[in-house]
Amino acid sequence: ARACLTAYERTKDSAWLDRAATEAQSAVEDDGYAAPALLVLSDVHRARGDHEMLLAALERAARSDRLSGEVRLKLGRALRSAGDTSRAEKELQESIYLRPGYWPAHYWLARLYDSQGLFNAAITEHRQTVELAPAHYGVHNNLGVAYLNTGQLHLARQSFEESAALEPDNNYPAFANLGTIYFMESRFADAADMFERALAIHDGDYRIWGNLGFSLLSGTDPARSEEPLRKAVELAEQRREHTAADAALLCQVAMYHAGLSEAERGLEAVEEAMALAPEDADVVDDIVEALEDLGHRERALEWVERAFALGVPPSRFENRPSLRGLVAEDEYRRLARI
């Protein structure tokens, strides 16, 4: 079953997946110790996109072998995907207990905490992952993102720089995130260099094109900013054609139009974002920035008040160079003290 599943993953020939399912089911029926066979069967269900059957197989495997850290890990991941975060946390913690020193369990528990906005708890697990797998450049990136989410820029930069040192040639996330931190620190030339290195690896992300454009616009070479900003708009609009309404994307589009001095088109985009997600904390701070970029500071301050009411920390505004004028306003300082 495992061999047939591997053949399917390499060839995408569905006949191999059908045979893998048959063999896995036969293994489950024949094996008195069924947990390993059930794990293979669960992977078949995952390949088929049958999440209900995937979860059922893993639940059965957990009953068959209560001391398997691997089973608990896979069950925790499946429960997280199903939205059962409480049980997912319990299973992932059990996996760590049953299999000490196995870094993927800490990684997936950290991812669970990230998805819940429990960033300090996530940092603890990401740190543990780095200790257990220090040569894995990806885990340094994950820790850096967790630090970034809590406004700890120095520690985030350190993590991304360690990741880039471990993998200097094909490390898109490290370069992209370092660019973001350098931009926050007003190191605009360094930021542009990092975004260009990221784009040399993968040039299909509208956000990195936009970030490159803003770095050039804010730095010493604003004349070069138009091309990347227009590329950012082009890619973002392509994404809009193939996805459901996305308020965060609309805010980015609004900022790009602001950078291109196309205020009317930018205002249309941000007002559409306001209508879509007026209570989404992750969107509201972008609405603030878009309004400020478009020259609507009074309205931006109104949305700052809404953002604080939704739990957005002041660091989300105070680390953005484009918001320095807004942050210096007495009204912002009054709101930030609430």
Side-chain angles (χ1 to χ4, degrees):
R2 179 67 68 190
C4 292
L5 185 59
T6 300
Y8 165 73
E9 290 167 349
R10 293 182 179 179
T11 66
K12 301 306 177 186
D13 182 345
S14 60
W16 283 116
L17 186 57
D18 292 340
R19 184 175 175 191
T22 300
E23 297 293 344
Q25 189 60 51
S26 178
V28 169
E29 292 169 359
D30 292 346
D31 190 357
Y33 177 62
L38 284 162
L39 285 179
V40 181
L41 183 61
S42 73
D43 288 339
V44 171
H45 292 316
R46 180 180 287 108
R48 285 180 161 172
D50 192 335
H51 299 291
E52 185 175 342
M53 293 296 291
L54 160 66
L55 192 55
L58 289 172
E59 296 271 19
R60 188 176 167 191
R63 291 192 298 271
S64 175
D65 186 353
R66 298 182 182 277
L67 299 180
S68 170
E70 182 182 8
V71 169
R72 298 292 176 181
L73 173 57
K74 289 195 172 187
L75 179 56
R77 291 179 58 187
L79 289 165
R80 172 181 174 268
S81 297
D84 192 342
T85 55
S86 178
R87 285 191 63 207
E89 180 181 16
K90 179 181 177 181
E91 294 297 339
L92 291 169
Q93 289 174 339
E94 185 71 10
S95 176
I96 291 169
Y97 173 76
L98 290 169
R99 196 173 181 182
Y102 187 54
W103 69 262
H106 291 280
Y107 166 78
W108 284 106
L109 183 57
R111 288 281 302 274
L112 176 67
Y113 290 144
D114 282 330
S115 68
Q116 296 175 289
L118 302 173
F119 297 125
N120 288 325
I123 286 171
T124 298
E125 295 303 322
H126 282 306
R127 282 175 173 166
Q128 187 65 34
T129 306
V130 168
E131 288 182 17
L132 293 169
H136 192 311
Y137 71 92
V139 302
H140 292 274
N141 282 331
N142 297 329
L143 177 58
V145 171
Y147 282 134
L148 194 57
N149 285 331
T150 55
Q152 300 181 74
L153 298 189
H154 171 71
L155 291 173
R157 181 179 65 248
Q158 185 177 44
S159 292
F160 294 133
E161 288 175 344
E162 288 172 355
S163 177
L166 286 168
E167 174 48 77
D169 299 320
N170 192 35
N171 198 343
Y172 171 83
F175 299 137
N177 285 310
L178 276 172
T180 297
I181 292 176
Y182 293 157
F183 185 86
M184 290 177 174
E185 295 174 335
S186 298
R187 295 169 56 181
F188 300 121
D190 290 334
D193 179 57
M194 289 296 106
F195 291 133
E196 286 177 332
R197 290 184 71 176
L199 289 168
I201 298 168
H202 171 59
D203 64 358
D205 190 333
Y206 68 89
R207 295 167 299 182
I208 306 306
W209 283 105
N211 291 343
L212 173 58
F214 290 138
S215 299
L216 295 168
L217 187 64
S218 303
T220 59
D221 202 357
R224 286 183 55 214
S225 68
E226 181 175 357
E227 182 179 351
L229 285 173
R230 294 219 175 273
K231 183 68 174 179
V233 171
E234 175 190 340
L235 292 172
E237 292 294 350
Q238 289 176 7
R239 184 175 177 87
R240 286 184 66 190
E241 291 175 4
H242 297 96
T243 60
D246 186 332
L249 187 153
L250 284 163
C251 289
Q252 294 298 315
V253 169
M255 293 179 213
Y256 303 150
H257 284 304
L260 291 165
S261 300
E262 297 170 348
E264 185 175 345
R265 294 182 67 184
L267 193 57
E268 289 175 1
V270 74
E271 286 181 342
E272 189 175 344
M274 291 175 188
L276 280 171
E279 304 297 326
D280 187 328
D282 290 329
V283 172
V284 167
D285 61 342
D286 285 339
I287 290 173
V288 170
E289 185 170 8
L291 288 169
E292 173 70 5
D293 287 352
L294 291 163
H296 293 266
R297 179 166 293 175
E298 192 170 320
R299 291 184 71 187
L301 286 166
E302 292 173 3
W303 282 83
V304 166
E305 184 172 15
R306 182 190 293 260
F308 287 151
L310 292 170
V312 175
S315 62
R316 294 276 281 273
F317 301 117
E318 293 164 10
N319 288 327
R320 300 188 185 191
S322 64
L323 296 180
R324 284 180 182 154
L326 179 143
V327 167
E329 290 276 355
D330 290 340
E331 177 64 7
Y332 173 86
R333 293 175 181 174
R334 183 188 72 80
L335 293 168
R337 286 196 296 271
I338 294 175

